[in-house]
Amino acid sequence: MVDIVYLTWLVPVAHVRSHVPDGVDLWQRDGLTPFTILTYRHRHFGPALLGPLRKLFASPLQSNWRLYLREAPAGAPGGRTVLFTHNALSNLLYVLGARSMSDALPADLPARFVHQKTDDGTYTTDIAPGVGSAPALSACVRRSRSTDLPPAFARLFAGWREAVAFLALQDAAVVSVPGTPRLAHAEIDLPIPMDEVLCAQGVQVDCPLVDAWHPVGPPLCFVVPRVSFRVWSERLLPTGATH
């Protein structure tokens, strides 16, 4: 994964409850919970077991939209866990593959998906849903030297590094399986070196979904230049697993 741009808002828990399945508890403070969109480019996305043959695979764009859990759901291994609400991929073959071979990564294909970096440290993202169910996003962020947190984040985290570690370092992801009451759970490896994370500021960020949730203040933005991402396992959690 390269050019990974994180955009995170603090939103009222009450406004996102419809996206949270039974048996799942969101991390929250003072009635607020983080919601993150991270967008990036894969590098030859394919099964690790194929080794050098992965060079034959494409490098699609992907955007993950997620909430953060207080703890792993019952029946799942412990660890820092996120709940996917939306996923978008820029390549139809990868969308079809994700839908047919993975319960933990249901994906949509936007009508337009742009994610690019310029030499001045600006990252531009444009996701247009078209007639599909992909979410919409238009964002431009620029690298910055400032580690100041937006005021709402400064009330919840001791500093920029603590906030970034909480938002970026995850062990697992869960997602509702359409048409069933079950959750799919994936164990992941995302070894992000904290010293390589880059500060960024939002120049222009427009997301109708988030706007409808009335976020508190501007998003916290940062960039991870590159990281090796692996999915170690995937499973369906037991029906009716609750705390």
Side-chain angles (χ1 to χ4, degrees):
M1 297 161 56
V2 297
D3 298 335
I4 311 152
V5 176
Y6 283 73
L7 309 172
T8 301
W9 294 261
L10 291 175
V11 298
V13 173
H15 293 173
V16 297
R17 289 199 187 279
S18 63
H19 291 275
V20 182
D22 293 339
V24 172
D25 296 323
L26 292 182
W27 184 95
Q28 59 178 295
R29 296 289 186 275
D30 301 328
L32 300 176
T33 193
F35 179 77
T36 294
I37 300 173
L38 61 147
T39 307
Y40 52 91
R41 180 179 294 280
H42 286 283
R43 291 179 61 83
H44 307 299
F45 188 28
L49 59 86
L50 294 180
L53 293 178
R54 290 178 63 198
K55 292 181 180 180
L56 301 176
F57 284 73
S59 299
L61 303 173
Q62 184 166 345
S63 189
N64 295 339
W65 301 43
R66 68 197 203 181
L67 294 158
Y68 295 79
L69 304 191
R70 181 175 61 84
E71 58 184 342
R80 298 162 294 188
T81 306
V82 293
L83 170 69
F84 285 154
T85 63
H86 302 80
N87 276 287
L89 281 159
S90 65
N91 184 296
L92 176 59
L93 290 178
Y94 282 88
V95 169
L96 295 175
R99 289 185 175 185
S100 62
M101 294 186 291
S102 173
D103 291 311
L105 187 65
D108 292 303
L109 179 69
R112 183 176 65 254
F113 195 159
V114 176
H115 182 67
Q116 58 191 11
K117 171 191 172 185
T118 58
D119 292 339
D120 66 350
T122 299
Y123 298 79
T124 302
T125 305
D126 184 17
I127 301 175
V131 297
S133 57
L137 173 68
S138 176
C140 176
V141 305
R142 184 170 295 132
R143 288 178 53 180
S144 168
R145 295 182 181 274
S146 174
T147 58
D148 293 340
L149 292 174
F153 285 87
R155 292 193 291 270
L156 302 186
F157 297 98
W160 183 85
R161 190 179 183 93
E162 179 182 291
V164 169
F166 175 87
L167 297 170
L169 302 181
Q170 305 300 320
D171 304 307
V174 295
V175 64
S176 296
V177 179
T180 79
R182 305 186 70 174
L183 294 174
H185 176 276
E187 291 183 279
I188 61 176
D189 181 34
L190 198 62
I192 295 174
M194 288 298 297
D195 292 338
E196 296 181 10
V197 179
L198 306 174
C199 304
Q201 296 291 328
V203 177
Q204 174 268 324
V205 180
D206 181 23
C207 180
L209 177 70
V210 176
D211 289 345
W213 292 339
H214 304 290
V216 177
L220 170 62
C221 309
F222 58 89
V223 175
V224 177
R226 67 176 58 230
V227 66
S228 296
F229 170 71
R230 293 179 176 86
V231 178
W232 293 120
S233 68
E234 183 179 315
R235 75 190 76 186
L236 289 176
L237 297 182
T239 303
T242 60
H243 292 286

